[in-house]
Protein backbone atom coordinates (compact mmCIF):
# COMPACT_ATOMS: atom_id res chain seq x y z
CA UNK A 1 0.00 0.00 0.00
CA UNK A 2 2.85 2.39 0.77
CA UNK A 3 3.70 4.75 -2.06
CA UNK A 4 6.85 6.78 -2.50
CA UNK A 5 5.22 9.13 -5.01
CA UNK A 6 2.96 12.10 -4.38
CA UNK A 7 -0.49 11.23 -3.12
CA UNK A 8 -3.49 11.86 -5.37
CA UNK A 9 -5.63 13.74 -2.86
CA UNK A 10 -8.48 14.21 -5.33
CA UNK A 11 -8.78 10.43 -5.71
CA UNK A 12 -9.16 10.12 -1.92
CA UNK A 13 -11.77 12.92 -1.84
CA UNK A 14 -13.63 11.20 -4.69
CA UNK A 15 -13.54 7.87 -2.85
CA UNK A 16 -14.89 9.49 0.32
CA UNK A 17 -17.71 11.11 -1.67
CA UNK A 18 -18.56 7.83 -3.41
CA UNK A 19 -18.63 6.04 -0.05
CA UNK A 20 -20.77 8.81 1.46
CA UNK A 21 -23.34 8.58 -1.37
CA UNK A 22 -23.37 4.79 -1.16
CA UNK A 23 -23.73 4.84 2.63
CA UNK A 24 -26.71 7.19 2.45
CA UNK A 25 -28.33 5.14 -0.31
CA UNK A 26 -27.90 1.96 1.71
CA UNK A 27 -29.47 3.51 4.81
CA UNK A 28 -32.20 5.38 2.93
CA UNK A 29 -33.43 2.30 1.06
CA UNK A 30 -33.15 -0.22 3.92
CA UNK A 31 -36.26 -1.26 5.79
CA UNK A 32 -36.21 -2.22 9.48
CA UNK A 33 -36.27 -5.86 8.39
CA UNK A 34 -33.35 -5.25 6.03
CA UNK A 35 -31.31 -3.67 8.83
CA UNK A 36 -32.07 -6.57 11.17
CA UNK A 37 -31.08 -9.24 8.62
CA UNK A 38 -27.80 -11.13 9.17
CA UNK A 39 -24.88 -10.25 6.90
CA UNK A 40 -22.77 -12.52 4.77
CA UNK A 41 -19.64 -13.80 6.53
CA UNK A 42 -19.98 -11.82 9.80
CA UNK A 43 -21.87 -12.23 13.07
CA UNK A 44 -23.46 -8.77 12.66
CA UNK A 45 -26.76 -7.59 11.31
CA UNK A 46 -26.75 -5.21 8.36
CA UNK A 47 -27.28 -2.25 10.70
CA UNK A 48 -24.34 -3.31 12.88
CA UNK A 49 -22.10 -3.82 9.86
CA UNK A 50 -23.06 -0.40 8.48
CA UNK A 51 -22.01 1.12 11.80
CA UNK A 52 -18.74 -0.83 11.65
CA UNK A 53 -18.18 0.61 8.17
CA UNK A 54 -18.61 4.09 9.66
CA UNK A 55 -16.23 3.14 12.46
CA UNK A 56 -13.54 2.40 9.86
CA UNK A 57 -13.53 6.13 9.08
CA UNK A 58 -13.80 7.12 12.75
CA UNK A 59 -10.74 5.10 13.75
CA UNK A 60 -8.61 6.91 11.19
CA UNK A 61 -8.66 10.00 13.39
CA UNK A 62 -6.85 8.07 16.12
CA UNK A 63 -4.51 6.46 13.59
CA UNK A 64 -3.51 9.90 12.30
CA UNK A 65 -2.35 10.83 15.80
CA UNK A 66 -0.40 7.59 16.16
CA UNK A 67 1.38 8.14 12.84
CA UNK A 68 2.31 11.68 13.86
CA UNK A 69 3.87 10.39 17.09
CA UNK A 70 5.48 7.16 15.90
CA UNK A 71 6.48 8.66 12.54
CA UNK A 72 8.98 10.88 14.40
CA UNK A 73 10.46 8.05 16.46
CA UNK A 74 12.81 5.27 15.38
CA UNK A 75 10.94 2.64 13.31
CA UNK A 76 11.79 0.00 15.88
CA UNK A 77 9.52 1.78 18.37
CA UNK A 78 6.40 1.33 16.26
CA UNK A 79 7.47 -2.21 15.40
CA UNK A 80 7.43 -3.10 19.12
CA UNK A 81 4.09 -1.28 19.53
CA UNK A 82 2.60 -3.26 16.60
CA UNK A 83 3.83 -6.55 18.11
CA UNK A 84 2.17 -5.71 21.43
CA UNK A 85 -1.09 -4.90 19.65
CA UNK A 86 -0.88 -8.09 17.58
CA UNK A 87 -0.52 -10.03 20.85
CA UNK A 88 -3.77 -8.41 22.02
CA UNK A 89 -5.76 -9.49 18.96
CA UNK A 90 -8.23 -11.69 20.86
CA UNK A 91 -9.44 -8.93 23.21
CA UNK A 92 -9.44 -6.49 20.27
CA UNK A 93 -11.66 -8.85 18.27
CA UNK A 94 -14.12 -9.10 21.17
CA UNK A 95 -14.36 -5.32 21.53
CA UNK A 96 -14.48 -4.87 17.74
CA UNK A 97 -17.45 -7.23 17.57
CA UNK A 98 -19.32 -5.84 20.60
CA UNK A 99 -18.90 -2.16 19.64
CA UNK A 100 -21.37 -2.11 16.72
CA UNK A 101 -23.85 -4.23 18.69
CA UNK A 102 -24.14 -1.48 21.30
CA UNK A 103 -23.56 1.48 19.01
CA UNK A 104 -26.64 0.84 16.86
CA UNK A 105 -28.80 1.08 19.97
CA UNK A 106 -27.44 4.58 20.63
CA UNK A 107 -26.97 5.91 17.09
CA UNK A 108 -29.73 4.54 14.92
CA UNK A 109 -29.71 4.94 11.12
CA UNK A 110 -30.28 8.71 11.01
CA UNK A 111 -27.49 9.58 13.46
CA UNK A 112 -25.20 7.03 11.80
CA UNK A 113 -25.66 8.78 8.43
CA UNK A 114 -24.98 12.20 9.97
CA UNK A 115 -21.88 10.87 11.73
CA UNK A 116 -20.59 9.46 8.43
CA UNK A 117 -20.88 12.91 6.85
CA UNK A 118 -19.11 14.60 9.78
CA UNK A 119 -16.27 12.10 9.91
CA UNK A 120 -15.54 12.03 6.18
CA UNK A 121 -15.76 15.83 6.04
CA UNK A 122 -13.30 16.08 8.91
CA UNK A 123 -10.88 13.69 7.20
CA UNK A 124 -11.11 15.67 3.95
CA UNK A 125 -10.26 18.90 5.78
CA UNK A 126 -7.34 17.27 7.57
CA UNK A 127 -6.00 15.79 4.33
CA UNK A 128 -6.17 19.20 2.65
CA UNK A 129 -3.85 20.58 5.34
CA UNK A 130 -1.24 17.81 5.21
CA UNK A 131 2.20 18.54 3.81
CA UNK A 132 3.83 16.13 1.37
CA UNK A 133 6.46 15.37 4.05
CA UNK A 134 3.77 14.49 6.59
CA UNK A 135 2.07 12.15 4.13
CA UNK A 136 5.29 10.12 3.82
CA UNK A 137 5.64 9.59 7.60
CA UNK A 138 4.65 6.14 8.70
CA UNK A 139 4.73 3.41 11.29
CA UNK A 140 4.30 -0.32 11.75
CA UNK A 141 0.77 -1.67 12.29
CA UNK A 142 -0.80 -4.75 13.90
CA UNK A 143 -1.47 -6.76 10.74
CA UNK A 144 -3.62 -9.28 12.62
CA UNK A 145 -6.19 -6.58 13.43
CA UNK A 146 -7.37 -5.81 9.92
CA UNK A 147 -6.78 -7.34 6.48
CA UNK A 148 -5.96 -3.88 5.10
CA UNK A 149 -3.27 -3.09 7.66
CA UNK A 150 0.17 -3.57 6.17
CA UNK A 151 3.30 -4.05 8.24
CA UNK A 152 4.31 -0.46 7.52
CA UNK A 153 1.90 2.26 6.41
CA UNK A 154 2.32 5.96 5.73
CA UNK A 155 -0.09 8.73 6.60
CA UNK A 156 -1.16 8.69 2.94
CA UNK A 157 -1.98 4.98 3.29
CA UNK A 158 -4.07 5.69 6.37
CA UNK A 159 -6.18 8.24 4.49
CA UNK A 160 -6.88 5.57 1.84
CA UNK A 161 -7.57 2.79 4.35
CA UNK A 162 -11.18 3.50 5.42
CA UNK A 163 -12.62 3.32 1.91
CA UNK A 164 -10.88 -0.02 1.29
CA UNK A 165 -12.44 -1.24 4.56
CA UNK A 166 -15.82 0.20 3.50
CA UNK A 167 -15.77 -1.45 0.07
CA UNK A 168 -14.81 -4.82 1.53
CA UNK A 169 -17.66 -4.83 4.04
CA UNK A 170 -20.20 -3.44 1.59
CA UNK A 171 -20.02 -6.77 -0.22
CA UNK A 172 -21.09 -8.53 2.99
CA UNK A 173 -24.36 -6.62 3.33
CA UNK A 174 -27.62 -8.44 2.56
CA UNK A 175 -29.93 -5.48 2.06
CA UNK A 176 -32.96 -5.38 -0.22
CA UNK A 177 -34.07 -8.76 -1.45
CA UNK A 178 -31.12 -10.41 0.24
CA UNK A 179 -28.63 -9.30 -2.38
CA UNK A 180 -25.69 -7.03 -1.80
CA UNK A 181 -26.55 -3.45 -2.70
CA UNK A 182 -23.95 -1.32 -4.38
Amino acid sequence: MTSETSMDRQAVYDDYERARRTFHRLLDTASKDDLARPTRGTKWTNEQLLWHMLFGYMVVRALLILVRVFGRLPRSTSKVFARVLNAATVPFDLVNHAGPCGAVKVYGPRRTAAAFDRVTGSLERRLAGESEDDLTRGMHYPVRWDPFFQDYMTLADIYRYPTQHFDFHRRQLTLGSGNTVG
Side-chain angles (χ1 to χ4, degrees):
M1 203 187 292
T2 303
S3 171
E4 298 299 323
T5 61
S6 179
M7 177 184 189
D8 182 353
R9 294 172 201 241
Q10 189 58 52
V12 174
Y13 300 145
D14 292 347
D15 282 345
Y16 287 4
E17 180 57 28
R18 176 185 52 79
R20 186 176 13 248
R21 283 191 318 270
T22 300
F23 196 77
H24 279 274
R25 186 180 75 246
L26 292 168
L27 283 172
D28 291 347
T29 60
S31 68
K32 282 189 175 198
D33 288 342
D34 287 335
L35 293 173
R37 187 178 299 124
T39 57
R40 228 178 255 115
T42 80
K43 295 179 182 178
W44 288 314
T45 65
N46 283 315
E47 185 176 19
Q48 292 163 346
L49 183 55
L50 283 162
W51 194 90
H52 177 76
M53 292 161 67
L54 159 65
F55 188 70
Y57 288 87
M58 294 169 89
V59 76
V60 167
R61 294 181 298 186
L63 296 177
L64 294 175
I65 294 167
L66 288 175
V67 173
R68 289 184 206 303
V69 172
F70 283 103
R72 298 182 191 287
L73 299 172
R75 279 194 182 192
S76 60
T77 307
S78 70
K79 189 171 249 183
V80 170
F81 182 68
R83 283 186 191 148
V84 169
L85 294 179
N86 269 328
T89 298
V90 171
F92 167 79
D93 287 343
L94 293 172
V95 171
N96 189 45
H97 172 72
C101 297
V104 297
K105 294 178 187 329
V106 174
Y107 273 69
R110 189 177 337 201
R111 287 184 64 204
T112 299
F116 197 93
D117 293 344
R118 280 191 308 276
V119 171
T120 54
S122 170
L123 292 175
E124 289 170 351
R125 288 186 299 278
R126 288 181 185 200
L127 176 55
E130 300 287 1
S131 73
E132 289 298 319
D133 284 345
D134 286 340
L135 289 170
T136 63
R137 291 188 194 285
M139 65 177 279
H140 291 275
Y141 281 84
V143 295
R144 292 179 57 198
W145 282 31
D146 191 282
F148 298 103
F149 282 174
Q150 301 299 311
D151 176 54
Y152 187 85
M153 295 172 69
T154 65
L155 197 62
D157 296 326
I158 295 303
Y159 277 108
R160 289 185 287 258
Y161 158 79
T163 304
Q164 294 171 324
H165 178 265
F166 178 93
D167 289 341
F168 172 80
H169 285 302
R170 189 184 79 209
R171 293 186 291 275
Q172 295 175 310
L173 294 169
T174 57
L175 296 169
S177 61
N179 297 322
T180 301
V181 176

